Amino acid sequence: MRIMTLGNGTELHIHDDHFSVYTEGFRLLDLFVESAVNKPDESDLDKEIHLIEINNSSVRWKAVSRLWEEKLYLLKKTKSGFLFSVSVSGSGAVQSIDYFCGTRSFNQKRESALLSGENEKPPIHCIGSHYAFSGYSQVNVHFTDRARACHLMQDAPAVLKPYHTGSLPFVFPLFTDWSDVWHGIGLVAKKGEHNFDCFTLNAPANGWEENGCWFSVDFGGKTMVTDSWTSPCIWYDTGKDDMDILNKYALWQYENLGFARNPSKNAVPAWWKGPIFCGWSAQGDLQNKKPLPGGEKDYADEKSYRLFHSMLKERNLEPSIIMIDDKWQKEYGTLEPDPEKWPDLRKFADEMHAEGKHVILWFRCWHPEGLPADECITVNGMPMFADPTNPKYLSRLKDAIHHLLSEEKGCCNCDGFKLDFIDKYPKDNRFEAFEPGVYGLELGRKLMEAICTFAKAVKLDALMNMTHLHPYLAEFCDQYRIHDFHTNQRGTRATMEYRAECAKTLMPGVLVDMDGFWCVTKQEQLHMLKYNAKLGVPALYRFYSGFNQEDWEQVKAWWDEYKATEIDTHINE
């Protein structure tokens, strides 16, 4: 047994087929290096594992795999933690990986039957590695405040995957009852290698006897090995709390993987800092008064937005951003303004510009409406998703964005996009992009990169407003939207604070669009509007029927205070 000491005082005790993690003298983890690199419909199993190399900074093990010609494990020290990866040689598709699964120890008795052919397909089970964690934090800002993000280990499995919040950080902050130190276990990958869509913590039982924990990644069967391949790395570090873990996870990727950071908030155009008026909830209010066949989407028209503009004027509210929401387009996929709703979008945009306002268009990501099948990811010939790896779709997208944003004659002269449904990319084996092997978060990046690149080529200050929390996409996010809040959640302030803190921690410097929270009472609604001007870019989504003149004067005062501290200071600098 060899001891490797990390920069934070944590010790790694290296053994023949596993390594133990000791912190403050306490054995926290026994991690079996065996990690199953599974193929579609075939589970991996290590027949043998041998420690072959160890020095002060790294350890290597070699395994005899059921599915792969050669298999190597690498444990490598970082400044204050470690990285762990598995490499395989051979051929075939990678469906998933179960890191630290402990399969071999559980299946030793079954293995001989498998190898001799006595039992054609005996069950192969993960039993995991031993752990002493009490619980974990699971980032899911669509439904949760900070306190409710924490769970006991008995609540696992926990899956980090795209929700309406977009792409989440693939890291679990973990805690114990006996120490103030938190531990982070996450997944990191180089640029171009994020062809996975989720990261799962499995912990089905008591942790130190029969069953333990392991971490799973799904590649959707799209990653093909033709010679050799190295997996994304498991990342480990310690911190003082859950936010410190998220911060270290993000900073490690910015510093070591070359991911571009967000600029300082004072290095961006002043108008990006708002305030924001978005018409989505106001459209809903009009629908409630006079229902139309298409619902609130039918009110995403020029008549409604001129009404909203006049209502802002009546209340002396001057946002710098007007967001036209769902559905100003004739078809989601083609991005052509609906001529019946917007006979002259250019005229509206120019009039807003004359008042110092900027027009942002809601963008329904991935939707194939109006697109031919040869520009889409299809199933049985049916268009299912716009394909950001397809040259034909990219050409259409580039032309559409130019038409919407350009100042040229015949174009709309709008100012950016509110990107929604980023999380709705294809997530199983049925879907094949035009570019082979591109899947999961990597496919999401392809779309974000295309939209952002095309938009900035037309207008350098085009605003990209979106919802995601992964550092790999940070460079495309000018403004993070904290997303919907439903009245049955309550806890408005705590939820706003948690979502804003997650964004600022994972994407330092990003502007935070505080969105339009739906609250139960007038008092709660006023508190929401007050604190969203303190936590980020204030946003108004509707004209609350219960508000009187004094209430609107108070909202204006909060906006004026925000502008004095954020906008005027920005301009003076």
Side-chain angles (χ1 to χ4, degrees):
M1 190 267 290
R2 289 275 299 273
I3 297 178
M4 183 183 291
T5 303
L6 305 180
N8 56 11
T10 298
E11 291 184 349
L12 303 182
H13 292 202
I14 311 301
H15 300 274
D16 289 342
D17 64 354
H18 70 281
F19 60 98
S20 301
V21 180
Y22 282 76
T23 180
E24 299 178 330
F26 190 90
R27 182 163 58 124
L28 183 71
L29 287 163
D30 284 344
L31 293 173
F32 293 104
V33 298
E34 182 183 16
S35 300
V37 183
N38 305 305
K39 296 181 179 180
D41 302 319
E42 291 187 280
S43 298
D44 192 18
L45 177 69
D46 287 352
K47 306 169 189 177
E48 300 174 12
I49 299 176
H50 303 282
L51 194 158
I52 58 172
E53 181 183 346
I54 185 169
N55 55 45
N56 291 331
S57 61
S58 65
V59 185
R60 293 180 185 272
W61 291 266
K62 186 173 183 178
V64 178
S65 165
R66 178 191 175 205
L67 299 182
W68 303 99
E69 295 173 10
E70 186 174 65
K71 192 173 185 182
L72 296 171
Y73 298 108
L74 173 63
L75 173 67
K76 187 177 181 180
K77 283 175 59 174
T78 61
K79 184 177 179 180
S80 56
F82 66 76
L83 299 173
F84 177 85
S85 62
V86 53
S87 300
V88 295
S89 298
S91 62
V94 177
Q95 177 66 39
S96 63
I97 298 179
D98 297 311
Y99 291 93
F100 311 125
C101 61
T103 304
R104 175 173 167 267
S105 59
F106 186 78
N107 287 281
Q108 284 175 336
K109 294 181 180 179
R110 306 173 190 265
E111 186 178 286
S112 59
L114 174 66
L115 298 177
S116 66
E118 295 174 13
N119 188 337
E120 185 177 348
K121 269 203 168 180
I124 294 178
H125 300 290
C126 297
I127 80 159
S129 295
H130 303 151
Y131 67 88
F133 295 121
S134 304
Y136 59 91
S137 176
Q138 181 179 7
V139 177
N140 174 6
V141 297
H142 187 44
F143 296 108
T144 313
D145 60 32
R146 188 172 182 179
R148 285 179 285 183
C150 290
H151 304 268
L152 297 177
M153 292 299 284
Q154 69 192 40
D155 296 332
V159 184
L160 292 172
K161 63 181 181 180
Y163 294 93
H164 279 300
T165 45
S167 298
L168 297 175
F170 293 134
V171 62
F172 288 99
L174 299 118
F175 61 89
T176 65
D177 287 338
W178 44 266
S179 173
D180 292 331
V181 177
W182 283 64
H183 304 262
I185 296 180
L187 190 71
V188 296
K190 298 176 182 178
K191 287 183 176 180
E193 298 182 4
H194 291 72
N195 295 298
F196 44 83
D197 70 354
C198 65
F199 184 54
T200 303
L201 164 62
N202 305 279
N206 58 25
W208 209 264
E209 294 180 11
E210 290 186 2
N211 290 320
C213 70
W214 68 96
F215 297 85
S216 301
V217 184
D218 190 347
F219 295 86
K222 301 298 185 292
T223 295
M224 298 299 299
V225 179
T226 56
D227 183 15
S228 61
W229 176 76
T230 299
S231 73
C233 291
I234 293 292
W235 170 93
Y236 169 87
D237 208 334
T238 57
K240 61 183 180 182
D241 57 26
D242 53 341
M243 287 297 166
D244 194 30
I245 293 296
L246 295 182
N247 179 59
K248 289 184 175 181
Y249 173 77
L251 291 181
W252 189 91
Q253 293 175 86
Y254 293 130
E255 293 171 358
N256 293 278
L257 298 177
F259 298 171
R261 301 174 187 239
N262 301 87
S264 165
K265 66 180 183 178
N266 284 336
V268 302
W271 69 267
W272 286 8
K273 302 173 80 171
I276 296 167
F277 172 77
C278 177
W280 176 242
S281 298
Q283 291 173 214
D285 290 338
L286 293 179
Q287 171 67 14
N288 290 335
K289 292 178 182 178
K290 184 180 178 181
L292 295 177
E296 58 262 72
K297 295 177 183 180
D298 281 350
Y299 284 103
D301 61 1
E302 182 174 351
K303 180 181 178 181
S304 299
Y305 276 80
R306 289 197 178 278
L307 172 63
F308 302 154
H309 177 253
S310 68
M311 295 173 75
L312 290 167
K313 289 288 188 182
E314 291 169 4
R315 291 158 177 77
N316 295 312
L317 297 175
E318 294 291 338
S320 68
I321 296 170
I322 303 291
M323 288 183 174
I324 303 174
D325 217 287
D326 183 13
K327 180 185 186 185
W328 56 269
Q329 313 95 317
K330 184 176 181 180
E331 297 168 312
Y332 289 132
T334 61
L335 295 174
E336 297 173 1
D338 187 329
E340 294 186 4
K341 292 180 178 178
W342 291 94
D344 197 344
L345 180 56
R346 172 62 179 263
K347 182 180 179 182
F348 180 83
D350 287 347
E351 290 178 8
M352 294 301 105
H353 292 165
E355 297 183 6
K357 299 178 176 66
H358 297 76
V359 177
I360 303 301
L361 301 173
W362 182 85
F363 190 121
R364 175 64 161 92
C365 295
W366 305 107
H367 206 293
E369 184 182 23
L371 298 176
D374 65 354
E375 296 181 20
C376 296
I377 296 171
T378 63
V379 173
N380 298 324
M382 179 71 69
M384 300 297 290
F385 302 89
D387 187 350
T389 72
N390 187 306
K392 290 183 179 181
Y393 174 69
L394 291 176
S395 178
R396 177 192 295 273
L397 182 64
K398 182 179 181 180
D399 291 344
I401 288 175
H402 183 273
H403 175 69
L404 292 170
L405 302 189
S406 176
E407 298 177 355
E408 295 175 4
K409 185 177 180 179
C411 296
C412 299
N413 200 19
C414 294
D415 302 288
F417 298 108
K418 173 186 175 181
L419 302 175
D420 209 353
F421 294 96
I422 295 173
D423 63 303
K424 296 301 183 183
Y425 51 72
K427 301 184 185 78
D428 66 46
N429 292 38
R430 296 176 298 160
F431 304 112
E432 295 287 347
F434 181 89
E435 183 179 337
V438 179
Y439 179 74
L441 185 59
E442 200 65 48
L443 191 62
R445 180 185 168 92
K446 292 281 188 182
L447 182 60
M448 297 303 101
E449 184 175 24
I451 296 170
C452 184
T453 300
F454 296 152
K456 303 290 185 180
V458 180
K459 282 185 176 176
L460 190 59
D461 68 340
L463 176 65
M464 299 293 107
N465 173 293
M466 63 186 74
T467 302
H468 74 77
L469 283 173
H470 199 288
Y472 191 40
L473 304 180
E475 65 182 291
F476 309 122
C477 181
D478 300 324
Q479 203 178 64
Y480 173 82
R481 181 168 69 94
I482 64 172
H483 219 79
D484 300 350
F485 178 86
H486 301 289
T487 53
N488 61 346
Q489 291 176 246
R490 309 306 294 262
T492 310
R493 181 175 175 181
T495 302
M496 287 195 304
E497 289 175 344
Y498 176 65
R499 296 184 185 186
E501 187 175 8
C502 283
K504 294 173 183 178
T505 298
L506 289 156
M507 298 183 290
V510 74
L511 295 172
V512 179
D513 165 10
M514 295 306 297
D515 213 330
F517 276 27
W518 292 43
C519 301
V520 175
T521 66
K522 171 184 171 179
Q523 193 64 37
E524 190 177 11
Q525 199 73 63
L526 283 167
H527 278 300
M528 183 275 288
L529 293 172
K530 176 181 179 179
Y531 282 103
N532 78 15
K534 294 181 179 295
L535 294 171
V537 179
L540 180 70
Y541 269 60
R542 69 195 316 177
F543 301 96
Y544 304 99
S545 59
F547 281 19
N548 55 35
Q549 182 178 348
E550 183 179 348
D551 297 326
W552 287 114
E553 288 174 354
Q554 183 63 74
V555 174
K556 180 182 183 300
W558 292 327
W559 278 24
D560 289 345
E561 181 182 359
Y562 167 80
K563 291 177 183 179
T565 56
E566 292 293 335
I567 311 300
D568 294 347
T569 302
H570 175 117
I571 293 172
N572 291 335
E573 290 181 350

